[in-house]
Amino acid sequence: MKRPRARLRDVAEAAQTSTKTASRVINGDERVSAATRARVEQAVVELGYRPDPLARSLRLGQDETIGVVVDEVGDPFFASVIGEIERMALDRGVSVIIASTRRRAERERIVLDGLFQRRVAGLIIASISDDHAYLRTSSCPLVFIDRAAEDLAADAVVVDDRGGARMAVEHLMRHGHRRIAYIGDRLSTATARYRLAGYRDAIEAAGIAFDDDLVAQVEPAKGDAGVAVEALLRMTDPPTAVFSANTRCSLGSLPTIHRLRRTDLGFISFGDFAMADTLTPAITIVDHSPEAIGRLAAERLFSRLAGDEPPVETILAPLRVVPRGSGELAPEVTA
């Protein structure tokens, strides 16, 4: 006679725990004692328990899928974030749908509406929009990354953009630079506004007059960063160092710097990228690990999907300057 399919309730009873705790163990939640985890895992093996995705989908009105929405899938930072989220989802037998807003606020709402129609179980969002009020009726948990939500109580995993930018500029100043250029996105996103503010904080705290001519706001995807850095270096009184406010700007600027043979220029990038440590000089960075951000966001989302209801929280991912050479170059002294 065929043995009836084991249910989650059967596993919980065999492990002498609640169905909620058993579900947490099965879904990879680490906040369960080792003894309880061992009992649940043993019960799963002995009973031959297998989760029933279709039953769960019908019960919750949701698919065994989460959505991840980012600016650009090809952006090095977001590619690493997505990779970590996918790894954690795979460990739990959950599929991931990835979508890009192409940095357009109007497209963001269309993309999210499409994912809601797919009945995803949860969403991780790197938002480009300043209006999230329409998400208050969301049918699934939301976790924002890189930028917190506006007008909406939702979990977020972010970095201190303003503090990190100030940290970068102060690092250049400690190596003798006073004329420091800024290259970053246009100020349509909160991230760009905060990083420019941090740059300005450091400049003014050092008693240096803020100079608009040293600030370049660009569209990195259009190749503007290289054009901007060349214009800066051809100024009558050029900068001795550059703070690049994101990896896209760094990737756009550095080929021009090398073409112009200005590798004597102090340079620090907010964010790491492939082969940054192999250039000559290697690129000093403000490290905000995309893997850590992806992991923290995924942990928060899977915790809520497991039934946890902690207070809404904005989680700060750690930041640190990683000196590699370019940010430690002293300005050349001219006669």
Side-chain angles (χ1 to χ4, degrees):
M1 182 179 295
K2 185 178 180 180
R3 187 171 68 174
R5 182 188 179 101
R7 300 164 298 177
L8 180 62
R9 184 171 64 188
D10 300 325
V11 172
E13 289 177 355
Q16 299 179 328
T17 189
S18 67
T19 55
K20 184 174 180 179
T21 298
S23 176
R24 286 182 180 176
V25 173
I26 291 166
N27 284 293
D29 193 324
E30 297 180 357
R31 291 171 298 172
V32 179
S33 71
T36 300
R37 180 179 299 280
R39 293 200 309 272
V40 171
E41 290 173 346
Q42 183 179 354
V44 166
V45 172
E46 290 178 350
L47 296 174
Y49 173 75
R50 294 290 182 274
D52 185 349
L54 178 60
R56 184 180 187 277
S57 177
L58 291 172
R59 184 172 67 255
L60 299 180
Q62 295 170 330
D63 195 2
E64 285 289 320
T65 302
I66 63 170
V68 180
V69 179
V70 298
D71 292 5
E72 294 280 355
V73 174
D75 179 280
F77 172 78
F78 287 119
S80 296
V81 170
I82 290 167
E84 185 66 13
I85 294 170
E86 284 187 310
R87 183 190 67 77
M88 295 186 67
L90 181 63
D91 289 345
R92 293 163 172 78
V94 174
S95 300
V96 181
I97 297 176
I98 301 161
S100 168
T101 62
R102 302 288 183 181
R103 299 176 62 79
R104 290 161 48 196
E106 67 276 12
R107 177 174 165 80
E108 180 176 306
R109 184 160 186 167
I110 294 170
V111 167
L112 289 173
D113 284 345
L115 290 170
F116 287 133
Q117 290 174 21
R118 296 282 299 261
R119 294 186 174 182
V120 293
L123 282 166
I124 295 174
I125 307 165
S127 179
I128 195 72
S129 174
D130 289 328
D131 177 15
H132 302 105
Y134 72 97
L135 292 173
R136 290 174 185 165
T137 57
S138 169
S139 57
C140 66
L142 308 173
V143 178
F144 285 75
I145 54 172
D146 202 34
R147 306 148 202 155
E150 301 285 343
D151 304 319
L152 177 71
D155 294 315
V157 180
V158 301
V159 297
D160 180 1
D161 292 297
R162 188 166 184 163
R166 179 168 180 156
M167 183 190 306
V169 177
E170 288 174 342
H171 183 81
L172 291 170
M173 288 178 174
R174 281 195 293 274
H175 290 85
H177 296 281
R178 292 296 178 269
R179 193 157 174 80
I180 301 168
Y182 170 97
I183 298 179
D185 282 342
R186 301 197 185 280
L187 302 185
S188 55
T189 66
T191 301
R193 293 193 293 271
Y194 291 145
R195 292 182 187 178
L196 179 56
Y199 162 85
R200 187 164 189 158
D201 289 345
I203 293 291
E204 294 180 345
I208 301 169
F210 179 77
D211 186 349
D212 265 326
D213 290 340
L214 291 176
V215 174
Q217 297 169 31
V218 302
E219 292 286 351
K222 297 180 180 179
D224 289 357
V227 174
V229 77
E230 182 163 359
L232 286 164
L233 293 178
R234 294 194 186 281
M235 293 173 66
T236 303
D237 185 13
T240 63
V242 170
F243 165 51
S244 172
N246 60 55
T247 54
R248 291 185 295 269
C249 288
S250 300
L251 289 167
S253 302
L254 287 165
T256 299
I257 289 171
H258 280 256
R259 176 174 58 81
L260 296 175
R261 299 184 179 181
R262 287 303 313 276
T263 53
D264 59 311
L265 189 72
F267 192 96
I268 188 165
S269 171
F270 201 123
D272 204 0
F273 52 92
M275 301 185 73
D277 58 346
T278 66
L279 297 175
T280 304
I283 304 303
T284 296
I285 63 167
V286 176
D287 184 30
H288 60 318
S289 167
E291 292 82 8
I293 291 172
R295 183 175 65 256
L296 290 167
E299 286 174 349
R300 193 68 170 183
L301 183 63
F302 287 124
S303 174
R304 290 208 179 273
L305 291 175
D308 288 351
E309 296 183 0
V312 168
E313 184 179 3
T314 295
I315 301 166
L316 280 178
L319 285 174
R320 64 187 179 116
V321 171
V322 180
R324 291 174 175 162
S326 68
E328 294 69 55
L329 295 171
E332 288 192 353
V333 178
T334 55

